[in-house]
Amino acid sequence: MPNTSWSERLRYRFDNFMARGTPAMVGGLGLISLGVIFVAAALLVGLGIRPGGEDHPLGFIEAAWQSLMRTLDSGTMGGDAGWGFRIVMLLVTLGGVFIISALIGVLSAGIDARIEALRQGRSRVVEAGHILVLGWSPKIFAVLNELATANANVRRPCVVILGAEDKVVMESEVRVRGQTGRLRIVCRHGNPLDPNDLRIGSPETARSIIVLPAESVHGDIHTVKALLALAQIKGDH
């Protein structure tokens, strides 16, 4: 094992921790916040520091509460009195400003990542009795037209389209060109030939499955591969 400095090990562990995602980062910031609060409370109690005008030193719980309030709201320290108390609370407030700012950034990044994941259409469809259409080609619009006519009297019919196109593009084209009638269209991005991607469309609970041949000379091969992938999923269940 090559010689590594403690700073490199610390940085490596920090990188691994950050790679765990938003929940881990929020939890880490929460622990840092608790550490700041408890250290400040211990200083106030251990050194006997009390706010100006107070006759008795603060207890640990009260000191921790005072520190928590200044961590969450920097304006709380405006009414502090006594320089010792002010200095400790100033440090707590500065730590709180850093933690809250980092927390807002982490939550914002996490929400953006979640929205992007939803936009990509990689979440699994939770439906039963739906019609699953595998593939995307110009033939999809004629298929949707036929399905809309055939399911005109069906209550809340749902059609799930699993194709290699971008989810937003598929939804936009269906909205503009498709004659969907009462159909509820759900689009998902995935490879119909990949069993893992096929599970996104919940084929095991689908009422029927339609495989669209690809617009190429290998369209029949594409269809056969999709059917084999479906058979693999059915075999797993």
Side-chain angles (χ1 to χ4, degrees):
M1 181 177 180
N3 293 328
T4 54
S5 64
W6 66 269
S7 61
E8 289 176 325
R9 295 192 189 98
L10 183 61
R11 185 161 53 247
Y12 175 70
R13 292 180 180 178
F14 179 76
D15 290 342
N16 288 337
F17 178 78
M18 296 293 286
R20 295 181 181 178
T22 301
M25 289 187 281
V26 171
L29 289 171
L31 290 177
I32 294 173
S33 179
L34 289 176
V36 171
I37 291 169
F38 288 152
V39 167
L43 285 175
L44 293 175
V45 174
L47 299 178
I49 300 173
R50 57 180 182 269
E54 294 287 339
D55 296 329
H56 303 286
L58 298 174
F60 185 82
I61 299 299
E62 179 62 26
W65 176 259
Q66 296 288 344
S67 300
L68 174 62
M69 291 299 98
R70 284 152 182 81
T71 301
L72 298 176
D73 183 7
S74 58
T76 306
M77 67 171 295
D80 291 343
W83 281 107
F85 188 76
R86 283 175 176 172
I87 291 173
V88 175
M89 292 299 102
L90 175 61
L91 295 176
V92 172
T93 301
L94 291 177
V97 169
F98 167 77
I99 293 169
I100 296 300
S101 299
L103 181 60
I104 291 173
V106 167
L107 292 177
S108 177
I111 292 173
D112 289 342
R114 182 58 181 166
I115 292 175
E116 179 62 21
L118 292 174
R119 192 199 71 82
Q120 291 176 355
R122 297 292 295 172
S123 60
R124 188 183 181 199
V125 173
V126 183
E127 295 282 352
H130 58 288
I131 300 171
L132 177 59
V133 180
L134 301 178
W136 178 266
S137 73
K139 297 177 182 178
I140 186 67
F141 306 108
V143 171
L144 291 177
N145 187 25
E146 293 294 330
L147 290 176
T149 302
N151 292 271
N153 296 322
V154 178
R155 184 175 179 270
R156 299 191 65 192
C158 177
V159 175
V160 176
I161 303 173
L162 179 65
E165 289 289 333
D166 184 89
K167 172 181 178 289
V168 176
V169 172
M170 290 190 289
E171 290 175 340
S172 177
E173 292 196 20
V174 167
R175 195 161 42 245
V176 173
R177 300 175 56 186
Q179 302 295 323
T180 59
R182 299 176 63 245
L183 295 178
R184 182 164 53 90
I185 309 297
V186 178
C187 296
R188 288 293 184 268
H189 171 74
N191 181 5
L193 306 183
D194 186 344
N196 292 324
D197 284 2
L198 273 176
R199 289 185 172 88
I200 295 176
S202 296
E204 63 276 5
T205 60
R207 170 161 53 99
S208 58
I209 300 175
I210 300 173
V211 180
L212 291 182
E215 292 293 309
S216 67
V217 295
H218 303 295
D220 292 338
I221 298 177
H222 176 278
T223 302
V224 171
K225 288 182 177 179
L227 292 174
L228 289 175
L230 282 170
Q232 179 179 340
I233 293 179
K234 293 293 185 180
D236 294 340
H237 290 77

